[in-house]
Amino acid sequence: MHPDSPIEDGHVADYSAIEAFRAEVLAHYADAGRTMPWRETCDPWRILVSEVMLQQTQVARVIPAYERFLAAFPTPDALAAAPLEDVLRLWQGLGYNRRAVALKRAAGSIAEEHGGSVPDSLEALRALPGVGPTTAAGVMAFAFGVPGVYIETNVRAAFIHRFVGDLDDVSDREILPYYEAALDRADPRTWIHALMDYGAHIKKTVPNPSRRSRHYARQSAFEGSRRQKRARLLRAVLARGAAVAEDAAFDLDVPVPEAAELLALLAEEGFLAEDGGVFRVADS
DNA sequence: GTCCGGCTCC
DNA sequence: GGAGCCGGAC
């Protein structure tokens, strides 16, 4: 732990350091807070869509996708009723297509089990496919004004930079006392927005402190990877409407058995449906 | 080539 | 707890 840590044994020992941190974060927010479309709304559906899109995807790339996606699917019912093919088309450019499949399933669950309204409890949100602890906490805070543990990359950067010193391999458990001490329980939405903007700003002034998080995972190379082939294959099927293994092999320039394996894998994961060797985007 | 980023399934 | 999942900027 940092020698000047305001936390001892998991409790706040120095409120003034936390207060100074809060003041700095809020001053930065007042001066240079970022505008984002999902910060203009408290609609839980729009918040949920933004949080899912922001998983592993940067703000600049989410903004246009967010606008076109919500224009097409303004409610959970609209997404639940839409063909998966349309959903995946609108997802292109964001990456990690399985998020789109999960979000459509989540919309179905919201329609069926929650009367079409995004649930307002952490537990019910967490039960939705593609919604983990952070996304659920984000919806609770940003849509419903309920404070919770929302520790993502910018938040990690802010606390590691400010309170952890030069240590590596920092766990979220270590950050949590600072997070809890600094959290504005009356207005978590504004506070967390400010905190994220501060973290994002910090990353521009020092090497990304999030890389010192235990939870930071460096990606393997994308070029030539299975991820790349899967993505290209899904695009090819969307373009063709239907494909057999030989089509896929041609589109990807891979051997037919590999193309067949990739098609089967996408089918298993709910992207595609097979009928006698012909693969199309799944019905739902 | 390097960088950035949460959830799911094992 | 570790592996797998995308794409565009640079």
Side-chain angles (χ1 to χ4, degrees):
Chain A
M1 185 125 343
H2 197 275
D4 300 327
S5 172
I7 305 280
E8 282 171 20
D9 302 328
H11 297 287
V12 185
D14 182 358
Y15 285 97
S16 67
I18 296 290
E19 262 323 302
F21 173 70
R22 285 184 43 79
E24 188 179 337
V25 168
L26 291 170
H28 175 265
Y29 189 58
D31 185 52
R34 297 175 293 178
T35 301
M36 301 172 196
W38 47 89
R39 289 186 178 182
E40 311 289 314
T41 182
C42 286
D43 175 14
W45 173 240
R46 299 180 74 86
I47 300 292
L48 175 60
V49 169
S50 75
E51 288 298 314
V52 171
M53 288 185 170
L54 287 161
Q55 294 167 0
Q56 298 293 96
T57 308
Q58 283 116 328
V59 168
R61 276 174 41 216
V62 168
I63 289 175
Y66 171 86
E67 303 285 13
R68 67 174 187 251
F69 196 88
L70 280 163
F73 313 119
T75 62
D77 285 344
L79 182 61
L84 182 60
E85 190 170 338
D86 297 354
V87 179
L88 289 170
R89 275 217 175 80
L90 287 172
W91 199 266
Q92 292 307 296
L94 281 173
Y96 295 119
N97 295 299
R98 56 170 55 164
R99 290 182 296 171
V101 177
L103 186 56
K104 181 168 160 49
R105 289 183 179 151
S109 165
I110 292 167
E112 296 291 314
E113 295 168 36
H114 300 284
S117 298
V118 174
D120 61 355
S121 81
L122 203 61
E123 299 69 34
L125 286 163
R126 273 251 32 197
L128 298 172
V131 177
T134 307
T135 300
V139 173
M140 290 306 291
F142 304 139
F144 301 118
V146 177
V149 179
Y150 186 81
I151 299 182
E152 49 69 83
T153 183
N154 295 306
V155 174
R156 290 191 185 113
F159 285 108
I160 290 174
H161 172 72
R162 184 59 183 259
F163 294 118
V164 178
D166 294 329
L167 298 180
D168 280 320
D169 197 34
V170 183
S171 72
D172 285 351
R173 217 159 52 81
E174 206 168 332
I175 292 174
L176 190 58
Y178 302 103
Y179 179 90
E180 297 283 5
L183 180 60
D184 183 344
R185 290 171 192 281
D187 185 3
R189 176 183 159 105
T190 303
W191 165 248
I192 297 171
H193 287 162
L195 188 55
M196 287 193 286
D197 285 7
Y198 180 82
H201 164 70
I202 286 300
K203 292 177 184 174
K204 295 179 199 155
T205 69
V206 300
N208 188 353
S210 265
R211 299 188 68 164
R212 297 193 277 120
S213 165
R214 186 171 299 172
H215 313 279
Y216 177 85
R218 203 167 161 280
Q219 277 291 358
S220 51
F222 182 58
E223 193 60 34
S225 68
R226 192 168 179 101
R227 297 199 310 283
Q228 185 183 42
K229 292 193 179 89
R230 287 164 53 98
R232 283 169 51 198
L233 177 55
L234 182 62
R235 274 183 209 275
V237 176
L238 285 171
R240 284 182 179 271
V244 297
E246 286 74 14
D247 299 325
F250 175 82
D251 289 338
L252 299 192
D253 194 22
V254 299
V256 172
E258 186 182 351
E261 190 199 334
L262 287 165
L263 281 167
L265 211 60
L266 288 185
E268 262 176 51
E269 293 178 46
F271 289 100
L272 305 178
E274 187 206 347
D275 183 10
V278 181
F279 289 83
R280 301 172 193 281
V281 175
D283 287 333
S284 61

